[in-house]
C-alpha cells in the first residue's frame, strides 16, 4: 500500500450493511469494504469505487452519496 503508484478499485453495493452483505453473500463484507475505503482515502491512495444499483436506483444513490462524503 505504500508504493507511490498503488491504485485500488472496489464495488460498493449499499450504504446499509445488511443489503451490501446480501449482495456479496459474505457477512461483514460491508464493514470490511467501508473500512478499507476509508483507509485508502486516509492514505491518499487512488481509489475507484463502482456503485452497483442491482435494480434499486435509490439504494445506489444513497451509496454514492455516502462514498462522496468519505472522499
Amino acid at each position: 500500500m505504500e508504493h507511490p503508484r498503488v491504485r485500488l478499485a472496489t464495488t460498493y453495493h449499499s450504504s446499509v450493511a445488511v443489503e451490501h452483505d446480501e449482495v456479496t453473500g459474505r457477512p461483514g463484507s460491508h464493514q470490511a469494504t467501508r473500512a478499507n475505503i476509508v483507509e485508502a482515502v486516509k492514505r491518499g491512495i487512488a481509489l475507484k469505487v463502482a456503485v452497483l444499483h442491482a435494480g434499486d436506483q435509490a439504494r445506489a444513490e444513497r451509496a454514492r452519496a455516502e462514498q462522496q462524503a468519505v472522499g
Side-chain angles (χ1 to χ4, degrees):
M1 294 281 208
E2 299 298 325
H3 192 279
R5 293 190 316 199
V6 166
R7 294 174 184 210
L8 299 174
T10 190
T11 55
Y12 194 73
H13 304 285
S14 177
S15 58
V16 178
V18 69
E19 292 175 354
H20 181 94
D21 292 358
E22 282 177 3
V23 172
T24 64
R26 296 179 50 218
S29 66
H30 177 269
Q31 181 180 358
T33 300
R34 191 172 192 294
N36 287 328
I37 290 169
V38 169
E39 184 64 24
V41 170
K42 182 176 117 183
R43 291 179 183 225
I45 296 171
L47 176 66
K48 183 183 290 187
V49 177
V51 175
L52 308 176
H53 66 74
D56 187 337
Q57 187 64 35
R59 180 175 74 185
E61 185 57 34
R62 289 188 302 273
R64 185 197 60 76
E66 180 186 9
Q67 289 307 298
Q68 282 187 319
V70 169

